[in-house]
Amino acid sequence: QRHMHNQADEPLEYLTHEEEMNTKLDLALSYRDMGEISQSQTILEEVIQQGNAQQKTRAQALLLSINKA
């Protein structure tokens, strides 16, 4: 994680792009588990467009499993 400082000189943490995509994959799984399929699909499509090769593969597999259900 990268650290930046705000005006009070307290560290602020920002996710790297890879961490952000991993978080989105986790979020998509949570939405799927709650039955919020359209939200899950939307997030997975975003990961497919913006993630790295491994993340894209995982998102595509999850999307296929959701669409089959």
Side-chain angles (χ1 to χ4, degrees):
Q1 292 182 355
R2 295 171 296 192
H3 295 278
M4 298 185 72
H5 295 275
N6 62 15
Q7 289 180 350
D9 203 34
E10 298 170 0
L12 299 175
E13 295 184 9
Y14 291 94
L15 296 177
T16 65
H17 183 73
E18 183 177 356
E19 291 169 329
E20 180 183 356
M21 292 296 112
N22 286 333
T23 299
K24 287 181 185 249
L25 284 167
D26 291 339
L27 182 59
L29 285 170
S30 295
Y31 276 129
R32 180 201 65 186
D33 293 346
M34 292 186 300
E36 301 290 339
I37 302 304
S38 66
Q39 285 92 337
S40 181
Q41 290 168 324
T42 299
I43 292 169
L44 290 171
E45 291 289 348
E46 186 176 338
V47 174
I48 289 168
Q49 292 176 9
Q50 298 179 14
N52 64 28
Q54 182 181 7
Q55 293 163 334
K56 288 178 182 185
T57 299
R58 185 169 174 219
Q60 289 167 339
L62 288 169
L63 194 56
L64 283 174
S65 71
I66 289 172
N67 291 338
K68 287 181 182 178

